[in-house]
Amino acid sequence: QPKQPAPEKEEPVGDLVELKPVDPLFMRINRDAFNNVIGFVQWGLTPIPISVPSQKIVYLKWMPKSWSHESAYGTSILMPVQRHVSLLIQAEEDMKIWFHQYAKPTGVLYGGTPEHPYPMAALSTIRSKLSERGPGTDMVLPGDSKWEISQAGTAQTINTFEAWSKYLVGKIYETIGVPSDLMSLPEGANRSTSDTRLQGFITEERMIQELVAEQLVRQLILPECERKFPDKFKGRRLPELKTVWLPIMEEDQNKKADRY
């Protein structure tokens, strides 16, 4: 009898469990020479970009005014915070170099007078002695020579760095929504203003907790209970589940006892 052809191998079929919207700000499309999409690259979230095959992502084109990812995750604050942190680190590195330079002040030595300058041999000798001079050592120079320490830009650099670093730190806290009072930056605010900011922060955090708890119970915990224990809750509703969060802020026990 003729040999029967081998049956074609069927592709595995699975169930689509969930779609996760991905922020297009961090996704880049990988194309071949014929403009075909062969994959995606996620960058900015990890030190090394992550490659994602095209079979794992549903790519929707021609939606320039849609913000479907924002409906699930909101506007990302990672990139603004990352930028301000990198600028702050860069400023600290610059100040490290600046302080190291001025630990031994830069000076200008005038050898002789314009009418009677030192010869080159004498200037070379004094230059070599100055290069070997360490911090806190004395100098002995001839009477017709003059030594001046260069102070150009010292005070201005300190003030500029202080204002710049303070601005960057404030922007970081402003972006992530943490009140400055919690970060020991209560400048320009009295007690009533600080209390108002703190109560607003606590209220916002509680709203986020309630939203997260509702989604966790409805999308994760309840379906998992129905799948794990189908015989125990057949024909009956699951008991009402409630997520309990720890207090956002707790009053100091000593202050509470004093008030009592």
Side-chain angles (χ1 to χ4, degrees):
Q1 295 181 355
K3 188 177 180 180
Q4 298 293 333
E8 296 182 0
K9 185 178 180 181
E10 296 183 357
E11 294 292 335
V13 179
D15 296 331
L16 181 61
V17 178
E18 184 181 0
L19 287 178
K20 176 183 178 181
V22 179
D23 194 340
L25 180 64
F26 306 108
M27 301 300 298
R28 292 296 179 266
I29 303 175
N30 190 10
R31 304 177 186 270
D32 60 7
F34 301 97
N35 205 27
N36 297 318
V37 177
I38 58 176
F40 299 85
V41 177
Q42 188 178 40
W43 69 282
L45 300 179
T46 57
I48 301 177
I50 300 175
S51 177
V52 183
S54 57
Q55 294 84 0
K56 299 290 185 180
I57 288 184
V58 177
Y59 176 44
L60 304 179
K61 295 183 179 181
W62 311 116
M63 301 177 64
K65 294 185 179 181
S66 66
W67 291 89
S68 57
H69 62 281
E70 277 200 353
S71 63
Y73 297 104
T75 303
S76 174
I77 65 172
L78 177 62
M79 295 305 291
V81 171
Q82 188 178 19
R83 179 175 182 272
H84 288 123
V85 170
S86 63
L87 290 176
L88 182 60
I89 295 175
Q90 183 182 11
E92 292 175 348
E93 291 294 328
D94 293 340
M95 287 306 298
K96 180 184 70 174
I97 298 174
W98 186 88
F99 277 115
H100 182 72
Q101 176 181 357
Y102 280 92
K104 181 180 178 182
T106 303
V108 179
L109 174 66
Y110 298 91
T113 62
E115 294 80 12
H116 303 283
Y118 276 16
M120 292 302 299
L123 289 177
S124 299
T125 303
I126 296 177
R127 185 186 300 112
S128 62
K129 291 182 178 180
L130 287 177
S131 62
E132 298 173 357
R133 174 178 173 265
T137 56
D138 299 326
M139 288 191 308
V140 179
L141 298 174
D144 54 352
S145 60
K146 184 173 59 173
W147 169 260
E148 294 182 356
I149 296 178
S150 176
Q151 298 287 346
T154 54
Q156 293 82 355
T157 304
I158 289 290
N159 297 334
T160 303
F161 170 75
E162 182 179 2
W164 177 235
S165 60
K166 184 178 178 181
Y167 168 80
L168 292 175
V169 172
K171 279 296 182 183
I172 293 173
Y173 296 147
E174 177 184 342
T175 305
I176 62 180
V178 177
S180 58
D181 308 276
L182 294 180
M183 309 306 298
S184 302
L185 297 172
E187 298 182 4
N190 51 31
R191 182 173 181 179
S192 60
T193 305
S194 301
D195 292 341
T196 303
R197 292 177 180 173
L198 185 59
Q199 291 301 323
F201 173 73
I202 294 176
T203 303
E204 183 180 4
E205 291 297 312
R206 286 175 178 169
M207 292 173 58
I208 296 175
Q209 288 180 352
E210 293 178 0
L211 179 61
V212 172
E214 180 185 358
Q215 299 297 327
L216 283 176
V217 171
R218 183 167 55 87
Q219 298 185 10
L220 183 63
I221 299 178
L222 288 179
E224 191 68 15
C225 290
E226 292 177 351
R227 189 176 67 86
K228 290 277 187 178
F229 314 103
D231 53 334
K232 293 185 178 295
F233 302 102
K234 182 176 294 185
R236 294 184 299 168
R237 297 189 59 184
L238 291 175
E240 183 178 357
L241 302 178
K242 183 178 181 181
T243 305
V244 178
W245 297 86
L246 294 176
I248 298 175
M249 292 191 63
E250 290 184 340
E251 187 179 9
D252 183 75
Q253 298 297 326
N254 296 324
K255 293 183 179 180
K256 186 183 295 185
D258 293 341
R259 189 173 70 252
Y260 289 161

